[in-house]
């Protein structure tokens, strides 16, 4: 009898990593071990759904392959089975030296969960070793950054470009150091903007990402944010998000979402019901999907904490990210929609019908929106429509585009809110009518400032640092806010689903 089983889907991930990542043939055990390490990084236990392996394409492994059990140690092979038992034992607070079946069961759960995590977070086109190094080492605590070092450099740099400035405050955030700077002559700000910032960045040796300038409330005072070295960044994770929801549930928020922390590490949240729709764009790998998950997880955790009626209409043309929510009981039309455009059109038609019916109901009871209708005793769930890749849909059909525009124009008062994401922020995908009806935008990193202008009506996103670094501009605010996205993973989505369904049963 084998010790560990994998499914057909797991095997696809293993061969994708071997072929496109490690560029090796054979050596599947290497991928299994990476998957184990990936899973052990997550601080919640993998669940029992990973015990059941569908029989089609099922593959089996024994401990000798996975942990080298019983292998004689040579330069090439090593038996680390005991180390693995000890490691899993500490993780699960169990003794896996005496519980053989338990050991194999948990090992399988971790390996399969790790493979799933690799599958969603590593793209075949990108460098696997760079991905590994980011996933495994970027979170390690390194020595605190020497702030004073920058401080002196900055003073010297200002004097070199001939601007009289004083540093009045320094705050070290999770990814940036923010300096509050007093300018003796505020007219120098123009000079700073016209090339001065680039010079400062060069002098500080941070050319690529640059120094970003922001407004302050005090006269003659500005903020300059300078990126910290990437290996010293701190990331907010799923457990932080859960804690934010637990410790601060704003009563009057209808659809509160927590998407990250600001530059000085304060959780950042807003009410999606007020935005009232949201456009999220950025280059591939910038963190859009993670951001969408944070929105959905926030709402699920919110509903788990205080009962609320919210439905999701989920569309994921690439069929990768949003299918994790397939089992949710509160899906509009009971499923997640994928690449089938005819089905998506059907969904959009139903949403428009729902919107029209709600508006007719409002007229008949003499109200103008969902809040007033609810205060008159109507029970209407808010509906959050999430589209993972807008470009795939609007490029496919003019009709789909028209339907989305209709929803953007009229759905807000009916309690239907759109969250649209795209890798292609151009005027074709984010057309004029969508732009004017979606005043709330999130820009992740982009390649060109022209893309930043399309998303935010402003430059700046081309300077973002990637990995969920974003500029958020809600309801046409004058100045976008710099936010570092919370880093949620597949497991956080599954936990949120579990919390929510458990709360429903109670
Ligand atoms: N908030 C974050 N904190 C740290 N790392 C992040 C964050 N968001 C994303 N990343 C990193 O970037 C990778 C890509 O993120 P994500 O899949 O969300 O990108 P994307 O913009 O959806 O890309 P694509 O357009 O190709 O779908 C993640 O696997 C993770 O390694
Ligand atoms: Mg994505």
């Amino acid at each position: 009898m084998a010790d560990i089983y994998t499914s057909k889907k797991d095997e696809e991930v293993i061969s994708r990593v071997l072929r496109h990542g490690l560029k090796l043939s054979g050596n599947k055990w290497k991928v299994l071990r990476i998957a184990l390490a990936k899973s052990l990084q997550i601080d919640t236990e993998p669940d029992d759904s990973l015990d059941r392996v569908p029989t089609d394409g099922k593959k089996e492994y024994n401990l000798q392959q996975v942990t080298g059990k019983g292998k004689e140690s040579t330069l090439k092979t090593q038996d680390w089975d005991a180390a693995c038992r000890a490691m899993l034992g500490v993780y699960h607070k169990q003794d896996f030296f005496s519980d053989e079946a338990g050991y194999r069961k948990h090992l399988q759960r971790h390996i399969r969960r790790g493979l799933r995590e690799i599958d969603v977070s590593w793209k075949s086109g990108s460098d696997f070793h760079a991905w590994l190094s980011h996933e495994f080492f970027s979170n390690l605590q390194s020595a605190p950054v020497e702030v004073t070092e920058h401080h002196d450099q900055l003073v010297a740099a200002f004097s070199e470009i001939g601007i009289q400035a004083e540093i009045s405050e320094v705050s070290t955030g999770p990814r940036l150091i923010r300096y509050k700077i007093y300018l003796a002559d505020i007219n120098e700000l123009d000079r700073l903007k016209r090339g001065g910032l680039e010079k400062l960045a060069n002098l500080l040796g941070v050319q690529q990402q640059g120094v970003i300038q922001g407004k302050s409330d005090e006269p003659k005072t500005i903020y300059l944010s300078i990126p910290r070295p990437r290996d010293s960044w701190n990331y907010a994770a799923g457990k932080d998000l859960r804690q934010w929801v637990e410790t601060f549930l704003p009563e009057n928020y209808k659809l509160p979402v927590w998407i990250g922390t600001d530059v000085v590490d304060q959780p950042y949240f807003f009410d999606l019901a007020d935005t009232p729709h949201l456009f999220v764009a950025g280059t591939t790998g910038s963190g859009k999907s993670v951001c969408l998950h944070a929105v959905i997880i926030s709402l699920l955790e919110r509903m788990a904490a205080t009962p609320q009626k919210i439905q999701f209409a989920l569309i994921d043309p690439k069929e990768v990210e949003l299918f994790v929510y397939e089992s949710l009981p509160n899906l509009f039309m009971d499923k997640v929609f994928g690449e089938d455009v005819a089905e998506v059109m059907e969904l959009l038609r139903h949403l428009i019908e729902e919107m029209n019916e709600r508006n007719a109901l409002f007229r008949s009871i003499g109200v103008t929106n969902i809040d007033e209708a609810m205060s008159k005793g109507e029970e209407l769930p808010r509906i959050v429509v999430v589209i993972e890749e807008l470009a795939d849909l609007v490029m496919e059909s003019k009709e789909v585009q028209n339907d989305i525009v209709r929803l953007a124009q009229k759905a807000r008062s009916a309690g239907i809110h759109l969250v649209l994401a795209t890798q292609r922020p151009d005027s074709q995908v984010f057309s004029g009518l969508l732009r004017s009806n979606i005043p709330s935008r999130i820009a992740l990193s982009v390649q060109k400032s022209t893309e930043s202008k399309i998303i935010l009506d402003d430059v700046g996103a081309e300077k973002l640092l990637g990995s969920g670094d974003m500029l958020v501009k809600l309801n046409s605010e004058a100045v976008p806010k710099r936010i570092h996205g919370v880093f949620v993973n597949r497991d956080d989505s599954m936990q949120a689903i579990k919390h929510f369904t458990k709360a429903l049963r109670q």
Side-chain angles (χ1 to χ4, degrees):
M1 205 184 86
D3 301 312
I4 305 284
Y5 294 93
T6 54
S7 68
K8 191 171 167 194
K9 174 88 184 123
D10 298 332
E11 286 299 311
E12 282 166 15
V13 182
I14 295 172
S15 45
R16 186 162 77 85
V17 172
L18 281 176
R19 207 160 348 115
H20 302 292
L22 297 170
K23 304 205 166 37
L24 295 170
S25 53
N27 292 315
K28 284 183 175 189
W29 54 272
K30 285 196 177 163
V31 185
L32 300 183
R33 291 179 187 186
I34 294 171
L36 172 62
K38 184 77 200 103
S39 174
L40 288 172
Q41 266 191 325
I42 300 170
D43 55 11
T44 49
E45 295 186 10
D47 58 77
D48 56 12
S49 66
L50 297 159
D51 296 346
R52 295 178 294 280
V53 183
T55 42
D56 67 316
K58 184 172 175 177
K59 279 263 165 9
E60 47 184 64
Y61 298 88
N62 54 41
L63 286 180
Q64 194 185 30
Q65 294 164 294
V66 183
T67 66
K69 186 179 179 207
K71 278 200 174 166
E72 219 173 284
S73 282
T74 66
L75 269 182
K76 277 197 168 161
T77 63
Q78 210 155 28
D79 178 355
W80 61 291
D81 193 65
C84 191
R85 280 171 204 263
M87 206 156 56
L88 284 196
V90 171
Y91 186 103
H92 291 278
K93 300 191 182 62
Q94 285 181 40
D95 176 10
F96 288 132
F97 287 93
S98 56
D99 178 5
E100 189 58 40
Y103 170 54
R104 281 187 258 118
K105 181 173 81 182
H106 285 93
L107 190 59
Q108 171 173 317
R109 285 184 190 175
H110 278 288
I111 288 174
R112 298 196 61 214
R113 173 168 75 167
L115 288 170
R116 195 177 64 200
E117 292 293 327
I118 295 173
D119 190 35
V120 293
S121 64
W122 172 65
K123 310 248 158 29
S124 294
S126 65
D127 183 329
F128 186 70
H129 293 94
W131 175 85
L132 271 182
S133 131
H134 176 261
E135 295 292 311
F136 287 98
F137 303 114
S138 60
N139 240 351
L140 295 182
Q141 290 291 335
S142 52
V145 182
E146 239 348 294
V147 216
T148 47
E149 201 177 297
H150 257 152
H151 185 286
D152 295 346
Q153 270 181 336
L154 194 56
V155 172
F158 266 116
S159 103
E160 184 147 347
I161 61 173
I163 293 183
Q164 214 187 331
E166 251 172 55
I167 299 175
S168 57
E169 197 182 290
V170 185
S171 353
T172 305
R175 303 191 192 184
L176 303 171
I177 303 178
R178 192 174 70 168
Y179 294 88
K180 197 170 179 181
I181 306 221
Y182 175 83
L183 294 175
D185 176 2
I186 192 65
N187 296 321
E188 297 284 28
L189 183 55
D190 275 345
R191 195 145 73 80
L192 254 189
K193 284 186 185 163
R194 274 183 288 105
L197 287 175
E198 249 114 275
K199 276 192 201 144
L200 275 182
N202 278 333
L203 291 167
L204 293 168
V206 288
Q207 296 88 324
Q208 275 194 343
Q209 294 120 358
V211 174
I212 296 185
Q213 177 259 327
K215 288 192 179 128
S216 137
D217 299 334
E218 294 168 33
K220 292 191 176 183
T221 305
I222 57 163
Y223 285 116
L224 287 187
S225 297
I226 297 178
R228 297 171 51 179
R230 209 168 263 267
D231 59 5
S232 71
W233 285 7
N234 291 317
Y235 299 93
K239 66 174 184 326
D240 299 298
L241 198 161
R242 285 188 286 279
Q243 206 190 351
W244 298 334
V245 178
E246 266 167 34
T247 48
F248 189 62
L249 256 185
E251 288 264 317
N252 51 345
Y253 279 45
K254 286 127 198 162
L255 300 170
V257 293
W258 285 258
I259 55 169
T261 55
D262 66 11
V263 292
V264 288
D265 214 13
Q266 290 304 305
Y268 177 77
F269 61 94
F270 58 87
D271 191 350
L272 186 63
D274 289 341
T275 56
H277 308 298
L278 195 59
F279 179 67
V280 181
T283 188
T284 177
S286 56
K288 298 178 295 294
S289 300
V290 172
C291 178
L292 297 186
H293 286 295
V295 168
I296 297 172
I297 292 175
S298 295
L299 295 171
L300 288 173
E301 294 286 357
R302 155 67 162 192
M303 285 189 280
T306 43
Q308 295 253 326
K309 286 224 170 77
I310 303 171
Q311 281 187 335
F312 291 105
L314 303 180
I315 306 173
D316 181 359
K318 297 214 164 55
E319 306 196 349
V320 183
E321 299 286 347
L322 301 182
F323 277 73
V324 66
Y325 303 106
E326 251 175 333
S327 63
L328 279 177
N330 56 335
L331 292 175
F332 190 82
M333 291 182 74
D334 303 318
K335 60 183 266 193
V336 177
F337 288 76
E339 62 175 4
D340 186 330
V341 180
E343 282 191 0
V344 172
M345 284 166 77
E346 179 80 14
L347 168 70
L348 293 173
R349 254 196 305 276
H350 273 89
L351 283 166
I352 290 172
E353 256 168 43
E354 177 75 30
M355 169 179 88
N356 291 338
E357 276 169 23
R358 287 185 180 194
N359 285 330
L361 169 77
F362 298 163
R363 278 194 299 277
S364 74
I365 58 170
V367 300
T368 56
N369 61 45
I370 185 168
D371 294 319
E372 293 170 9
M374 301 251 260
S375 66
K376 286 202 164 187
E378 292 297 332
E379 284 261 332
L380 295 168
R382 285 175 198 279
I383 303 172
V384 176
V385 184
V386 182
I387 300 184
E388 233 293 329
E389 182 46 83
L390 183 63
D392 288 0
L393 291 184
V394 299
M395 291 294 128
E396 189 78 33
S397 131
K398 187 81 191 145
E399 234 178 304
V400 171
Q401 195 169 1
N402 291 343
D403 285 350
I404 296 173
V405 167
R406 274 174 78 187
L407 286 169
Q409 283 170 325
K410 294 205 309 196
R412 93 171 280 183
S413 57
I416 301 173
H417 304 278
L418 306 179
V419 180
L420 311 177
T422 186
Q423 214 180 74
R424 273 194 51 190
D426 58 36
S427 54
Q428 243 178 321
V429 174
F430 197 36
S431 62
L433 276 174
L434 273 183
R435 294 171 63 76
S436 53
N437 286 290
I438 306 187
S440 295
R441 326 271 174 81
I442 295 183
L444 291 115
S445 65
V446 293
Q447 249 123 37
K448 296 179 283 206
S449 58
T450 46
E451 292 171 320
S452 177
K453 277 205 157 151
I454 288 184
I455 310 169
L456 296 171
D457 300 314
D458 211 345
V459 296
E462 71 286 356
K463 286 191 167 184
L464 291 169
L465 310 173
S467 301
D469 197 19
M470 54 179 98
L471 286 169
V472 182
K473 196 168 177 177
L474 301 181
N475 282 314
S476 313
E477 288 162 329
V479 187
K481 258 204 160 57
R482 179 87 174 260
I483 300 297
H484 311 308
V486 53
F487 192 11
V488 289
N489 57 29
R490 191 72 15 160
D491 229 59
D492 296 313
S493 303
M494 310 224 347
Q495 282 228 19
I497 296 170
K498 225 190 222 169
H499 289 166
F500 167 65
T501 41
K502 192 169 153 208
L504 266 190
R505 284 198 298 270
Q506 280 165 358

